[in-house]
Amino acid sequence: MSEKKTSNTMWGGRFAAGPAAIMEAINASIGFDRKLYAEDIAGSIAHATMLADADIITADDRDKIVAGLKTIREEIESGKFAFSTRLEDIHMNVEARLAELIGPAAGRLHTARSRNDQVAVDFRLWVKNELLCVRAALTGLIEALLDRAEENASTIMPGFTHLQVAQPVTFGHHLLAYVEMFARDRSRVDDAVERMNECPLGAAALAGTPFPIDRFATAKALGFREPTRNSIDSVSDRDFALEFLALAAICATHLSRFAEEIVLWTTPQFGFARLSDAFSTGSSIMPQKKNPDAAELVRAKTGRVNGHLIGLLTVMKGLPLAYSKDMQEDKEAVFDAAETLDLMLAAMTGMVKDIVVDAAAMRKAAASGYSTATDLADWLVRELKIPFREAHHVTGRAVKLAEEKKLPLHRLALADLQAIHAGITGEVFSVLTVEASVKSRKSYGGAAPGEVRKQIKAWRKRLAKT
């Protein structure tokens, strides 16, 4: 594409000279908004088609415009298109090339629209498509978690609070906690798509247009539910970008929490799991090292996504209505956050499928730290009918005695327990193993293997419906 004309031609006769080099550098966005080429061309084709249907341009001009736009799309996708910073953005790059291809008919394409509503529709289309990609990636991650949860529905591991051993659970139950998190992320994607599924094309610069356009037709052609209802809000709104970044930041936080656990589990101190070489690296100096770098990088990239959210919130916080050039800063944040989140989701899905669990190490850890103490307290309440607070006190004394004797609870002598509370019988030992503890947690959403399998089955049904 030729660069013979400088960008002042689109501003009209008021600007006699081209912009200074520094103005060109700060003003141009083609370096990143070229990513919107497919959406820009789709929006222009829909707009041209509507203009012809409304008798605003001729069918012949429409056909030339549509053919030219398709040629430009082919040029871009084949790498033959020459992008120009002098033409500022993707919209003017496409329009200038269209003029070279089809002549004066290209000038009619911009009838009844502005770059303000043009960029708004392009960006919405891009974010909407990216949300659908994120949804698919989340579904894949959830399915991988369900597969591993089903394999480990009975694999006993310690449940933690304050990173201290609290009560026995199963690895399957633990993984289902992340299913819940990522399912909420998926529901936020659905909510965001529903809210942003309105088309701003036709709002023009900010006040609409006197031409008899059909905004419902362009909305339908571009896959939106309906057109936006206020022309000022149409061009000044970036809630859809903020909402994308917000849900991306929440999802990245969930991924980071999971990544942190993988880092912990794969240490020699925990020894709960290991990753293959596919998701690990070695040390340049310590030959024995195997580092969970994929998990560490997922954890680190969360800060990058969070930063983009704060950045765009800060850009938008002081803008009067309607459009301001500040809003050009929206795209790089969203593009980078999207690319980062896509990579994080792919890496985590891979690690979930790759990780190998050491069931023996998990079970041993689950039995440490007097993790069945609550089972003793529950037994006292259930069998001896004493108030829970009293049972808590009795159990505390039993734990203290076990610590003094350096024994697990289930190894204490019955006489020792009866010295603390005379009503305790030998039946108490049936609840003090980690297996018994886990099996007893049959409440809805609890850790019992049978309950875990019920939840897995229910989640598979939900996924099949959506």
Side-chain angles (χ1 to χ4, degrees):
M1 184 174 67
S2 170
E3 289 194 19
K4 289 184 289 184
K5 294 183 179 180
T6 56
S7 62
N8 66 303
T9 57
M10 69 181 172
W11 295 336
R14 181 179 175 188
F15 295 87
I22 195 165
M23 180 59 190
E24 182 176 304
I26 197 171
N27 194 48
S29 59
I30 190 60
F32 52 86
D33 71 13
R34 66 178 64 185
K35 190 184 287 283
L36 298 174
Y37 80 88
E39 290 78 14
D40 192 71
I41 290 171
S44 291
I45 289 174
H47 185 65
T49 301
M50 179 276 297
L51 290 177
D53 290 345
D55 294 324
I56 298 170
I57 66 172
T58 66
D60 183 58
D61 283 343
R62 174 202 61 205
D63 293 344
K64 290 177 181 177
I65 289 169
V66 171
L69 289 169
K70 289 180 178 179
T71 297
I72 293 169
R73 183 173 59 204
E74 291 170 2
E75 290 178 349
I76 294 174
E77 291 176 349
S78 66
K80 297 177 181 177
F81 191 92
F83 292 99
S84 170
T85 57
R86 293 181 180 181
L87 293 167
E88 292 189 15
D89 55 32
I90 186 61
H91 321 299
M92 297 312 301
N93 270 263
V94 169
E95 187 172 319
R97 178 59 177 149
L98 186 64
E100 290 180 348
L101 289 172
I102 69 171
R108 295 186 174 88
L109 173 60
H110 210 54
T111 305
R113 77 172 183 184
S114 161
R115 278 194 297 175
N116 293 355
D117 63 336
Q118 191 176 357
V119 69
V121 74
D122 291 359
F123 199 21
R124 276 190 189 234
L125 278 171
W126 193 93
V127 172
K128 182 181 175 183
N129 290 334
E130 176 59 24
L131 283 168
L132 297 177
C133 291
V134 170
R135 191 185 195 279
L138 282 166
T139 300
L141 175 54
I142 291 168
E143 288 172 342
L145 286 165
L146 290 173
D147 288 342
R148 299 313 303 274
E150 193 162 30
E151 293 169 13
N152 292 279
S154 300
T155 302
I156 294 173
M157 72 173 289
F160 298 92
T161 61
H162 309 278
L163 205 56
Q164 305 292 315
V165 174
Q167 292 178 316
V169 294
T170 70
F171 188 51
H173 189 56
H174 194 94
L175 293 179
L176 286 184
Y178 285 105
V179 168
E180 296 290 334
M181 291 186 205
F182 296 124
R184 288 195 295 273
D185 291 329
R186 204 175 75 138
S187 72
R188 274 183 279 271
V189 168
D190 291 341
D191 292 344
V193 171
E194 177 64 20
R195 256 186 299 281
M196 70 169 294
N197 203 16
E198 300 172 348
C199 183
L201 189 59
L206 79 160
T209 175
F211 291 95
I213 61 173
D214 185 348
R215 294 190 61 210
F216 287 88
T218 49
K220 183 178 180 181
L222 293 171
F224 289 101
R225 183 182 63 249
E226 59 188 335
T228 51
R229 291 167 296 282
N230 182 278
S231 60
I232 294 176
D233 181 62
S234 298
V235 299
S236 61
D237 168 51
R238 289 299 183 270
D239 283 4
F240 63 91
L242 288 168
E243 193 162 1
F244 173 81
L245 290 174
L247 69 86
I250 295 172
C251 182
T253 298
H254 292 156
L255 290 164
S256 183
R257 294 183 72 179
F258 198 0
E260 169 66 7
E261 296 211 288
I262 291 173
V263 171
L264 290 173
W265 293 341
T266 55
T267 61
Q269 291 80 5
F270 273 76
F272 287 1
R274 67 181 185 275
L275 290 169
S276 75
D277 293 349
F279 291 94
S280 307
T281 65
S283 165
S284 64
I285 190 172
M286 296 169 285
Q288 84 282 7
K289 291 293 295 299
K290 187 173 184 180
N291 303 318
D293 281 9
E296 291 173 3
L297 287 167
V298 166
R299 185 175 60 185
K301 287 180 183 295
T302 300
R304 183 171 179 161
V305 177
N306 291 352
H308 287 314
L309 171 60
I310 297 302
L312 187 54
L313 283 168
T314 305
V315 167
M316 297 300 298
K317 74 175 182 63
L319 297 187
L321 298 177
Y323 180 83
S324 296
K325 192 70 169 183
D326 310 52
M327 291 159 71
Q328 183 169 289
E329 293 297 308
D330 56 4
K331 293 165 202 66
E332 286 182 285
V334 171
F335 292 161
D336 186 72
E339 184 177 331
T340 302
L341 184 61
D342 289 346
L343 183 58
M344 292 170 73
L345 286 165
M348 185 56 71
T349 303
M351 283 187 283
V352 168
K353 294 177 179 180
D354 181 80
I355 198 165
V356 176
V357 174
D358 189 329
M362 281 187 169
R363 193 218 174 276
K364 182 179 179 181
S368 67
Y370 305 99
S371 63
T372 59
T374 305
D375 296 279
L376 172 56
D378 289 341
W379 184 89
L380 291 168
V381 171
R382 189 171 59 250
E383 301 299 326
L384 303 187
K385 312 301 181 186
I386 64 177
F388 183 82
R389 286 302 168 200
E390 182 183 343
H392 188 282
H393 180 71
V394 169
T395 301
R397 290 175 61 193
V399 169
K400 183 179 180 182
L401 179 61
E403 285 178 331
E404 291 171 353
K405 290 180 173 287
K406 295 182 170 51
L407 293 172
L409 273 177
H410 69 279
R411 295 297 184 192
L412 284 175
L414 178 59
D416 289 333
L417 290 171
Q418 289 176 332
I420 297 171
H421 193 288
I424 295 176
T425 69
E427 291 297 318
V428 73
F429 294 107
S430 67
V431 303
L432 296 183
T433 65
V434 291
E435 288 81 7
S437 176
V438 167
K439 189 176 180 180
S440 71
R441 306 292 167 177
K442 296 179 180 179
S443 57
Y444 182 82
E451 185 60 26
V452 169
R453 293 186 180 96
K454 286 179 185 177
Q455 290 295 336
I456 293 168
K457 185 177 181 180
W459 269 115
R460 293 196 191 281
K461 286 184 178 179
R462 286 176 205 155
L463 290 181
K465 291 178 181 178
T466 57

